[in-house]
């Protein structure tokens, strides 16, 4: 009984699908045929409107247009033109014949003639000399005809207060061949629409009958050649799912010569593969858990390598410092560091290793260690980067590199000596002024090429000055629209006043919240690292 219900359900779904397909086919055929017939009919009808407009044009003297505009009055020629055009208007079913002179600059037209003035009940008729906005869905097209004297490539169909019409626009020329005015003739569309509706009804009826006859025959074929074999395969799959024992031999004996046979062979293979997979699942799961545990330990180790106790030097009141890092993966390639070279010199470092994950983290450990060792040996920032660069280039078969910024602050006089190896320029606020980019010579990245030379620079910081270091994970943070946070947004945020009066820790956390709001749930693509340093007072040279 359960199998019978499933059969009826599958047959019902196929029937609904086929009926839906039939409906789509019918709709596509009818819509396509309707639009093709409509376009052809509209073009033919519009051509007829142009023929009538050409007939009316024969009654118009283009040499007299300027005189009608200037004098504002009519003459015998005007009256004869009116008589001839009005006769054409009454005998052809046109809804309007209108002569005007467009003004391209003002997008207006000045009326020369409107056949509807003969209809006393028509308040929309325009008298000679009346200026009115161009009454068209595409006024520029009217102006183009007046300027070029050429018929538009497409045709006018307008539905407005004058009715539903197809319009013809022809230029009125004087004896010199110059366009002096435009003649517009409107032909009503209701007759054409009736023909279109009749065509649509007949097309729909014939298409529906033919398509549904074909679909009915195809449904019978599917029931016999598809539904029943699939039900047999379903029964075997259900047995395997319940007790891990299917009808492997019976499925391999299905020989229909089509996709059903292929499906049976695939199900048989699937039973074998699933059995093997279940047997190996415990081992694979254990391996993943081990890797996850190792990555968690690696994350803890990397975090512990970075200074994470704040304030780091409670006894030193000359400066405040705070930093944070958020890796895009379990471990990252960004790092920051700060340490005292001696009692009066503080070294700050921020760097970004190419790539992410474990390889970048390992390279980061090497770079961080080398920089700190050389700096504590008394080398200048320039000498540190030159020595570290050469060491990192040795056996760098993976082609990894590091962008880095290093600076040494002398707390006795506020001098700050720094060097930049291809890293983002820091932001500096000095003398109470807004943050601006620290001018620095951007040298080549570390580990990129041996024997590179770097240039160090020096500025003087004063009490209250702040320096913000960061990696490109800040400025290149993406939102769901794939827009970058950008250096401009970073500079605007730190100068917005939201950081005023906050501790350094609060300032960096506010910036991190700003990045999270900008990302709007988008996955973090790169490590985010920030470090902020503020000079509070200058210290004693004797320490």
């Amino acid at each position: 009984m359960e199998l019978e219900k499933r059969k009826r359900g599958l047959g019902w779904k196929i029937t609904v699908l086929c009926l839906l397909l039939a409906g789509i086919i019918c709709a596509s055929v009818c819509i396509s045929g309707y639009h093709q017939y409509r376009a052809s009919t509209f073009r033919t009808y519009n051509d007829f409107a142009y023929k009538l407009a050409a007939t009316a044009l024969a009654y118009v003297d283009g040499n007299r247009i300027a005189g009608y505009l200037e004098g504002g009055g009519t003459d015998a020629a005007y009256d004869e033109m009116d008589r001839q055009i009005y006769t054409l208007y009454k005998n052809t079913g046109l809804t309007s014949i209108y002569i005007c002179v467009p003004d391209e600059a003002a997008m207006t037209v000045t009326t020369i003639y409107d056949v509807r003035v003969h209809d006393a009940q028509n308040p929309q008729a325009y008298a000679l000399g009346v200026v009115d906005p161009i009454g068209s869905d595409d006024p520029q097209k009217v102006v183009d005809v007046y300027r070029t004297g050429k018929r538009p490539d497409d045709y006018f169909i307008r539905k407005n207060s004058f009715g539903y019409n197809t319009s013809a626009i022809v230029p009125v020329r004087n004896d010199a061949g110059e366009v002096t005015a435009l003649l517009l003739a409107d032909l009503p569309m209701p007759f054409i629409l009736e023909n279109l509706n009749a065509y649509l009804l007949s097309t729909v009826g014939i298409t529906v009958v033919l398509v549904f006859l074909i679909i009915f025959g195809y449904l019978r074929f599917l029931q016999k050649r598809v539904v029943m074999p699939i039900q047999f395969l379903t029964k075997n799959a259900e047995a395997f799912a319940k007790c891990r024992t299917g009808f492997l031999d019976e499925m391999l004996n299905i020989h229909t010569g089509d996709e059903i046979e292929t499906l049976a062979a695939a199900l048989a293979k699937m039973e074998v593969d699933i059995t093997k997979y279940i047997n190996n699942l415990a081992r694979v799961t254990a391996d993943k858990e081990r890797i996850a545990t190792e990555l968690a330990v690696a994350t803890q180790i990397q975090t512990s390598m970075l200074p994470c106790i704040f304030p780091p030097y409670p006894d030193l009141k000359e400066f405040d410092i705070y930093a944070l890092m958020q890796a895009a993966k379990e471990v990252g390639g960004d790092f920051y560091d700060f340490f005292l070279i001696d009692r009066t010199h503080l070294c700050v470092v921020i760097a970004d290793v190419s790539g992410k994950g474990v390889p970048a983290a390992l390279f980061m450990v090497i770079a961080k260690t080398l920089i700190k060792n050389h700096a504590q040996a008394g080398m200048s920032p320039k000498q540190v980067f030159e020595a570290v660069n050469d060491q990192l280039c040795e056996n760098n078969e993976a082609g990894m590199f590091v962008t880095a910024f290093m600076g040494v602050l002398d707390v006795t006089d506020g001098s700050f000596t720094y060097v930049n190896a291809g890293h983002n320029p820091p932001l500096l606020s000095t003398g109470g002024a807004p943050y601006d980019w620290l001018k620095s010579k951007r040298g080549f990245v570390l580990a990129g090429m041996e024997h590179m030379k770097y240039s160090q620079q020096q500025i003087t910081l004063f009490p209250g000055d702040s320096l913000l270091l960061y990696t490109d994970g800040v400025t290149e943070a993406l939102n769901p629209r794939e827009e970058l946070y950008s250096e401009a947004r970073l500079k605007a945020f730190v100068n917005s006043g939201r950081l005023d009066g906050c501790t350094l820790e609060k300032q960096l956390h506010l910036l991190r919240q700003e990045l999270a709001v900008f990302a709007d749930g988008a996955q973090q693509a790169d490590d985010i690292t920030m470090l902020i340093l503020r000079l509070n007072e200058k210290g004693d040279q004797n320490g």
Side-chain angles (χ1 to χ4, degrees), residues 28 96 115 137 141 171 220 257 272-273 346 349 357 395 409 420 463 510 537 542:
S28 300
S96 173
V115 74
D137 296 335
K141 191 179 296 183
R220 298 288 295 175
V272 176
D273 292 343
L346 171 71
V349 181
N395 301 319
L409 173 65
N420 189 340
L510 285 174
E537 60 185 39
N542 297 323

Side-chain angles (χ1 to χ4, degrees), residues 34 70 77 81 96 164 179 280 317 418 471 502 512 533:
Y34 174 79
E70 294 174 1
M81 174 190 71
S96 173
Y164 191 31
V179 178
N280 294 330
K317 306 301 181 182
Y418 58 94
T471 61
C502 297
R512 183 66 193 95
L533 170 66

Side-chain angles (χ1 to χ4, degrees), residues 60-139:
V60 182
D61 186 352
N63 297 310
R64 295 179 178 272
I65 298 298
Y68 296 146
L69 280 178
E70 294 174 1
T74 63
D75 55 15
Y78 187 95
D79 294 337
E80 177 61 19
M81 174 190 71
D82 176 41
R83 186 184 66 80
Q84 296 283 3
I85 290 179
Y86 182 67
T87 301
L88 177 68
Y89 168 73
K90 297 297 288 186
N91 294 330
T92 57
L94 288 166
T95 59
S96 173
I97 301 176
Y98 178 70
I99 303 173
C100 64
V101 177
D103 184 342
E104 183 174 3
M107 296 304 283
T108 59
V109 291
T110 303
T111 302
I112 302 299
Y113 174 77
D114 188 350
V115 74
R116 293 170 298 175
V117 296
H118 289 280
D119 185 359
Q121 303 300 322
N122 192 344
Q124 298 171 336
Y126 297 105
L128 172 62
V130 172
V131 178
D132 201 61
I134 299 178
S136 171
D137 296 335
D138 189 353

Side-chain angles (χ1 to χ4, degrees), residues 322 324 435 466-468 493-494 498-514 530 532-534:
Y322 189 80
L324 62 81
Y435 277 96
S466 296
L467 185 67
L468 174 64
F493 175 77
V494 297
R498 293 173 58 185
L499 306 183
D500 295 349
C502 297
T503 63
L504 300 188
E505 178 179 1
K506 181 65 173 179
Q507 291 182 33
L508 291 194
H509 284 290
L510 285 174
L511 177 54
R512 183 66 193 95
Q513 291 175 11
E514 164 75 3
M530 298 176 281
I532 187 168
L533 170 66
R534 181 173 62 204

Side-chain angles (χ1 to χ4, degrees), residues 299-475:
T299 302
Q300 294 177 356
I301 293 175
Q302 183 182 40
T303 302
S304 66
M305 292 186 65
L306 303 179
C308 55
I309 298 175
F310 298 97
Y313 312 110
D315 297 335
L316 299 180
K317 306 301 181 182
E318 291 89 346
F319 62 87
D320 285 333
I321 192 169
Y322 189 80
L324 62 81
M325 186 191 82
Q326 180 175 331
K329 294 186 176 181
E330 288 83 357
V331 289
D334 282 11
F335 72 89
Y336 67 84
D337 199 4
F338 56 85
F339 50 87
L340 288 172
I341 298 174
D342 54 41
R343 176 61 180 77
T344 60
H345 290 83
L346 171 71
C347 179
V348 293
V349 181
I350 193 165
D352 183 2
V353 178
S354 60
K356 292 179 284 293
V358 175
L362 293 175
F363 207 72
M364 160 263 188
V365 172
I366 298 172
K368 176 181 178 299
T369 303
L370 291 175
I371 291 174
K372 186 172 184 178
N373 288 344
H374 286 299
Q376 289 184 327
M379 291 184 175
S380 68
K382 170 183 181 301
Q383 293 171 331
V384 169
F385 272 18
E386 289 173 354
V388 171
N389 175 69
D390 290 341
Q391 289 180 292
L392 290 177
C393 285
E394 296 176 2
N395 301 319
N396 185 16
E397 297 179 359
M400 303 187 74
F401 61 87
V402 185
T403 69
F405 180 93
M406 172 184 172
V408 176
L409 173 65
D410 186 339
V411 298
T412 62
D413 59 7
S415 62
F416 184 74
T417 306
Y418 58 94
V419 62
N420 189 340
H423 199 73
N424 304 75
L427 281 164
L428 172 66
S429 172
T430 181
Y435 277 96
D436 203 355
W437 307 112
L438 174 65
K439 295 180 180 180
S440 63
K441 297 178 181 179
R442 202 166 183 177
F444 199 60
V445 297
L446 301 178
M449 186 181 300
E450 291 183 326
H451 310 305
M452 291 299 301
K453 297 298 180 182
Y454 295 90
S455 299
Q456 71 181 26
Q457 297 168 264
Q458 187 177 84
I459 60 172
T460 300
L461 299 181
F462 299 93
D465 291 357
S466 296
L467 185 67
L468 174 64
L469 312 179
Y470 58 93
T471 61
D472 58 8
V474 174
T475 54

Side-chain angles (χ1 to χ4, degrees), residues 259-272:
E259 288 80 359
I260 301 296
E261 180 179 343
T262 303
L263 177 61
L267 287 174
K269 183 178 183 301
M270 182 185 68
E271 290 184 6
V272 176

